[in-house]
Structure formats: C-alpha cells, structure tokens
Amino acid sequence: MKILITTEWYTPTVNGVITSIINLKDILTKQGHEVRVLTLSDKDNVKICEEEGLYTMSSYGLGKIYPGARFALTMDDDVLSHILQWSPDIIHTQCEFSTFRIARRISEILNVPLVHTYHTVYEDYTHYFSPNKKWGKKAVGLFSKKVLNSSEAVIAPTKKVELLLKGYKVTQPIHVIPTGLDLVKFSKPMQPEEIKSFRNSLSIPDNCSVLVSVGRVAKEKNLEEIIYYMSRLQDPSLRLLVVGDGPYRSTLEEYVDKLNMHPYVIFVGMVDPVNIPAYYQLGDVFVSASTSETQGLSYIEALASGVLALCRKDDCLLDVIRNGENGYQYTSYEEFKSFLYTLLNQEQFNEIQKKEAQSKIEETYSIETFGKQVEAVYFEAIQNYTHQHVFSM
C-alpha cells in the first residue's frame, strides 16, 4: 500500500504529534508499505526527497497565534505533480489546517480515501487565538466537525477524544487507537552509579528525591501548579526537574523566583531525544498537572521507564495510571501531598509490582500493535470509500 502522511509539524521539532508520525511511518514501512510524508518548511524552499520519503513546501510563520505554527497558502506545482504521479492509495492527515486542505484536494483528484488523526484538544488552547474562551470553544467545535466529517475515518488516541468529537457531532467512524511507542529504549535500566553521576552533574544532592516533568513548556501544561505545591510542602529534600523547553519557560522561571524556589526547581531545557530515557530514570516520581493532553505520551514513557507517576486526574489517563498500581491521580493539594509521600516511601511498591506495571504498558502501547490497528483502519476506509464528501476552506 502507498500511504501519504500530511502534517504541519515534523522533525527537527520535537512534540507528541511528531513522535506519533515518526513511529507510524517506521512501523508501516516495516510492515511492507511505502510511506511518504508531506510537511511544511520553516524556510522559503521546496524539497522532494524520495530516498527519505519526504516532501516539504514553503510556508508562513504564525507564531503570533501559536509558537512554531506555520501555514501554506498554496501547494507547489512540482510537489503536487510528483505526489500525483506516485499516486498514494490512502492519505493520513495529522493536522487540521493547511496540510489538511491540501490533502483533501489530493484525495479528490486521485479519488482515494482520507483518514485523520485528531491529536489536539484545541479547547485547551483558546488563550492563543481567542479573547473569549466560550466563543473559542464554540469555534473549535464547529471547525473540528467540518474538517472531520470530510474525512472517511477518524482516529482518536483516547476515549476522552472520542467523546469530545462525538460532542462536536462528528458523524464519521471514530476508531480509538493509542499512539504506539518504541518502548525498548525506555525499559533499559541505568546502573545506580550512572544515576548518581548524572544527578551530581545537575547539582542534585544525594539525599534528595527528584520529581521529573518531561515535555513542552507551555501554559496549558499547568506546571505552575506543581511548583506552587512544592512551595507549600517546604521540603528541602525535594527537587523538580523540568525537561524540555517552550514559550512559557521564562514566565515559569519568574514564578519560581517569586516563590523563592530557585534552588529547588531545575530547568534543563531542550534535550536530545536519545537522552530522554535517562532523565526519566533520574526521577523518583514523574509529575504532571496538565489536563490538555489527548493521550500524554510522556506518561507512557515514564511508566515504561519504571518510574511511578503522580498526575492531575484526567480522562486521558483512564487505564494508564491506576491508583495504587503504577502511581496516583490527584485532584487537590492534599491528595498530591499524600500520594507523593506514599510513592517516595514506596513500601507498597515492590520491584515485582513495578515490573508488572512496566510490562502492561509495553504490551498495550507497543508500536507493533499501533501499526496493525492503523493498517486495519486503512483497509476498511479503502473498502468503504465512495468519494461522497465535499470540503472547502
């Protein structure tokens, strides 16, 4: 099967959407399919690279709306001609904006189906584009309904997203398929002396417990809550390690200074993806206060690394974080405090339980399972395709 994946986001940028796309491309290729990616360039150039299976188009920056966002007004004729000549059997869109519009056009010309993965809960991002939250949510619902009902099938990474889309009146088939991850690199344990050396390089005292947060540093991730809770605990034996970068980092650094928490919160910045597993294992507990996730790949990576999790309760964590088994979901400061010290004492979490939790995560979120489930959606979409949708933007 020839599969064209379209996306506004791609390497070298690092985020959950790109991780999902790269893993999907890799596993589908291993399954014997020919996969190519159409994306936007941050430069004024066009690139066709068959060896890499990559097409890039020039685009315009929309950083004032959302950091790193880009938009293409038209499609390059050479790229379009090359794709039409290649003639994919199906198109899998990963973003709802300019690349979706282009993908829909290619779909209509070639008379092939289009499958879409809905990665982002835009309701939680209205502060970037709307002064009125209520109006912003309504606009998101109407826009999402229009886009998704012009595809042949929709993939939602969690039940939370499926219910959200049904609330938007999306009528196309919705398949819940968690993003698969290559978890082998996360399950390889570091030696105690390696962890000790790594902690020392970050000036973390040996007698301190480390709470680790991994991901994009943005307002919707709600890291202020974790920092505030730590300030209330007033525990000098705790350190918060913030791994990642983003538009909200400077604001958080100012907040840390305001609370006099500077010695206890360490901003690592952007890290090479190859080194991410080491940062998870450096932590005693993985923490997150975000409720804007569609799936939360960092939660899964942390659990696969054998690190227990403490996260704000959210529907995307159903069947991911199970209280008392691999961590806890909290709803208040009091719960955060109680669960945190339960996890740090770890008297009830022996190594056998941790290994069982690790194995369950690896089985559920394996990249092989992901590939087979997505492949099944493709076959069904091709079989049922009638080319009955009309889309315009």
Side-chain angles (χ1 to χ4, degrees):
M1 191 189 313
K2 295 180 180 178
I3 304 160
L4 176 66
I5 296 175
T6 66
T7 174
E8 255 98 273
W9 305 90
Y10 204 55
T11 55
T13 303
V14 179
N15 60 36
V17 176
I18 296 168
T19 297
S20 178
I21 294 168
I22 292 172
N23 289 346
L24 181 61
K25 182 177 185 290
D26 288 347
I27 192 60
L28 289 173
T29 301
K30 288 179 181 177
Q31 291 173 346
H33 304 291
E34 185 178 353
V35 187
R36 297 184 184 180
V37 174
L38 170 64
T39 189
L40 304 181
S41 171
D42 59 357
K43 299 177 181 178
D44 186 21
N45 64 4
V46 175
K47 179 180 178 182
I48 299 173
C49 184
E50 290 189 35
E51 293 80 11
E52 297 178 18
L54 182 65
Y55 303 101
T56 61
M57 302 181 303
S58 57
S59 61
Y60 299 90
L62 294 176
K64 290 184 179 181
I65 297 177
Y66 182 80
R70 307 198 65 80
F71 189 83
L73 294 175
T74 59
M75 184 169 186
D76 181 82
D77 289 340
D78 288 340
V79 172
L80 177 60
S81 176
H82 206 277
I83 291 174
L84 295 180
Q85 185 177 8
W86 176 54
S87 190
D89 301 299
I90 195 165
I91 302 171
H92 189 166
T93 55
Q94 308 283 332
C95 299
E96 293 77 20
F97 302 103
S98 55
T99 53
F100 184 93
R101 175 175 49 83
I102 292 166
R104 185 74 257 172
R105 179 58 181 153
I106 297 171
S107 165
E108 291 170 347
I109 293 173
L110 293 175
N111 194 27
V112 297
L114 185 151
V115 170
H116 183 76
T117 294
Y118 195 83
H119 288 283
T120 306
V121 178
Y122 292 105
E123 288 188 5
D124 297 317
Y125 293 73
T126 56
H127 53 274
Y128 286 109
F129 63 84
S130 172
N132 185 296
K133 190 171 183 178
K134 183 178 179 181
W135 180 90
K137 285 189 173 184
K138 185 176 181 180
V140 164
L142 291 172
F143 174 77
S144 299
K145 174 185 175 182
K146 182 177 181 180
V147 169
L148 301 187
N149 280 344
S150 68
S151 65
E152 280 58 62
V154 179
I155 293 174
T158 60
K159 192 75 175 177
K160 170 186 174 180
V161 178
E162 179 192 29
L163 295 175
L164 181 73
L165 298 182
K166 287 182 176 178
Y168 293 158
K169 308 300 181 187
V170 172
T171 56
Q172 294 303 92
I174 301 175
H175 306 266
V176 179
I177 303 177
T179 293
L181 296 171
D182 182 4
L183 298 176
V184 174
K185 58 186 176 183
F186 295 99
S187 60
K188 183 180 179 181
M190 292 175 65
Q191 297 302 313
E193 57 271 19
E194 291 180 290
I195 295 177
K196 179 179 172 61
S197 176
F198 197 8
R199 287 168 61 104
N200 290 341
S201 71
L202 294 167
S203 300
I204 299 173
D206 291 341
N207 63 339
C208 283
S209 297
V210 177
L211 314 186
V212 62
S213 166
V214 178
R216 182 173 170 80
V217 183
K219 182 177 181 179
E220 60 275 6
K221 301 300 182 181
N222 197 26
L223 266 171
E224 289 108 324
E225 181 170 280
I226 303 293
I227 295 168
Y228 174 64
Y229 285 178
M230 282 190 62
S231 73
R232 288 188 64 181
L233 289 171
Q234 295 187 338
D235 186 340
S237 70
L238 293 180
R239 295 292 184 273
L240 172 63
L241 201 63
V242 180
V243 182
D245 212 338
Y248 208 55
R249 176 174 170 176
S250 60
T251 302
L252 286 179
E253 289 176 328
E254 291 174 4
Y255 186 58
V256 167
D257 289 338
K258 180 181 177 180
L259 295 177
N260 295 317
M261 291 293 292
H262 184 71
Y264 309 107
V265 181
I266 303 167
F267 289 90
V268 177
M270 189 64 70
V271 171
D272 189 318
V274 174
N275 297 325
I276 288 292
Y279 281 94
Y280 281 120
Q281 293 191 46
L282 185 64
D284 295 288
V285 177
F286 171 80
V287 292
S288 173
S290 175
T291 58
S292 67
E293 309 299 323
T294 54
Q295 182 175 352
L297 301 184
S298 58
Y299 305 153
I300 298 165
E301 291 175 346
L303 294 172
S305 301
V307 181
L308 302 170
L310 178 58
C311 303
R312 175 158 282 283
K313 187 175 182 180
D314 188 65
D315 288 346
C316 81
L317 296 177
L318 292 172
D319 298 324
V320 178
I321 296 177
R322 298 174 299 282
N323 281 3
E325 292 185 31
N326 58 7
Y328 290 96
Q329 297 184 50
Y330 70 88
T331 59
S332 65
Y333 166 73
E334 288 72 23
E335 286 188 349
F336 179 90
K337 179 180 179 180
S338 173
F339 293 154
L340 173 62
Y341 287 110
T342 298
L343 291 171
L344 290 177
N345 292 331
Q346 292 189 7
E347 293 175 359
Q348 71 188 81
F349 296 98
N350 60 45
E351 289 303 313
I352 294 176
Q353 286 176 301
K354 290 172 71 173
K355 284 293 182 183
E356 287 177 351
Q358 216 173 342
S359 297
K360 188 168 184 179
I361 285 292
E362 291 171 3
E363 180 182 341
T364 305
Y365 298 97
S366 75
I367 194 170
E368 290 78 15
T369 299
F370 179 45
K372 290 177 182 177
Q373 291 178 324
V374 173
E375 182 186 56
V377 173
Y378 292 165
F379 285 130
E380 182 180 317
I382 291 172
Q383 183 178 1
N384 298 334
Y385 182 56
T386 59
H387 198 174
Q388 59 185 340
H389 307 290
V390 177
F391 178 80
S392 62
M393 281 183 68

